[in-house]
Amino acid sequence: MGCGGGERMEEDEAGTASSSSSPPIVQLGYDQVLSVLRLLPPEAVLSFAATCRVFRAWASSDALWEALCCRDWGSRATAALAERRRDRGGGLQAPWRRVYAEVARLGALSARRVPARGASPRPRASHSLNLVAGWLVLFGGGCEGVRSPS
C-alpha cells in the first residue's frame, strides 16, 4: 500500500474498474508538487509533511523552504541570507526550514520603550537579561571599559 491510505478503485480508459494503491498526488511529478506547496502557508506544508514519509521528504526540500522565505520576506532579504550562508563556507549550514522557523519565532517578539525613573542605568557588559514571570531581570555585568554613547 502506498502513501496516503487504502486502496481505491478507479476506471481505466476502457471503463473497467482497476485497483490503485497510490493517491493521485503521488502520480504528479516532484516539481508539480513543489509548485503547489510553494503556494501554501507554512502550517499547511507542515501538515502535508506529517502525512507520510514520501510527503515529508518532499516538504523538507531546501528549495521549497528557500522559495517560502523569498515569498514571505522578499527576494532581497532572502538573497542577503543566502549570501551570508555562502560566506560562512565549509561549515554545515542550517536548512532553510530552520531559518524560516527561527525568523518566524522572532516575528512573535515585540519591544517597547520603558520610561526610566531617576538616573538612567549606564551601559553594561557581560550581563544576562532574562524575562521571568513578565519581569525583565538583569543579572551581573559591569561598566568597566564600556564607553558611554556620545
Side-chain angles (χ1 to χ4, degrees):
M1 188 167 3
C3 185
E7 284 197 21
R8 61 185 181 83
M9 300 296 284
E10 54 180 51
E11 288 187 15
D12 60 15
E13 293 171 7
T16 59
S18 64
S19 174
S20 171
S21 62
S22 62
I25 194 165
V26 176
Q27 297 169 6
L28 292 174
Y30 175 73
D31 291 339
Q32 293 170 315
V33 173
L34 286 184
S35 294
V36 171
L37 292 175
R38 284 185 183 118
L39 301 173
L40 299 175
E43 298 80 15
V45 174
L46 295 173
S47 295
F48 176 80
T51 307
C52 73
R53 276 186 239 135
V54 173
F55 292 172
R56 185 175 328 128
W58 288 356
S60 296
S61 160
D62 219 35
L64 168 65
W65 286 95
E66 183 177 6
L68 292 176
C69 291
C70 192
R71 179 195 69 193
D72 292 352
W73 309 332
S75 57
R76 288 183 64 199
T78 305
L81 277 170
E83 175 100 13
R84 186 155 190 220
R85 288 166 46 105
R86 275 192 301 275
D87 288 345
R88 289 201 173 159
L92 186 62
Q93 296 177 350
W96 280 103
R97 181 176 172 178
R98 183 184 300 161
V99 172
Y100 192 97
E102 289 175 3
V103 172
R105 266 184 262 152
L106 287 175
L109 298 177
S110 65
R112 62 186 169 100
R113 185 174 298 271
V114 178
R117 289 182 231 139
S120 294
R122 294 186 54 197
R124 303 192 75 73
S126 303
H127 64 279
S128 172
L129 184 63
N130 301 286
L131 182 64
V132 179
W135 291 85
L136 284 174
V137 181
L138 178 71
F139 290 101
C143 301
E144 300 81 31
V146 178
R147 291 178 35 174
S148 295
S150 331

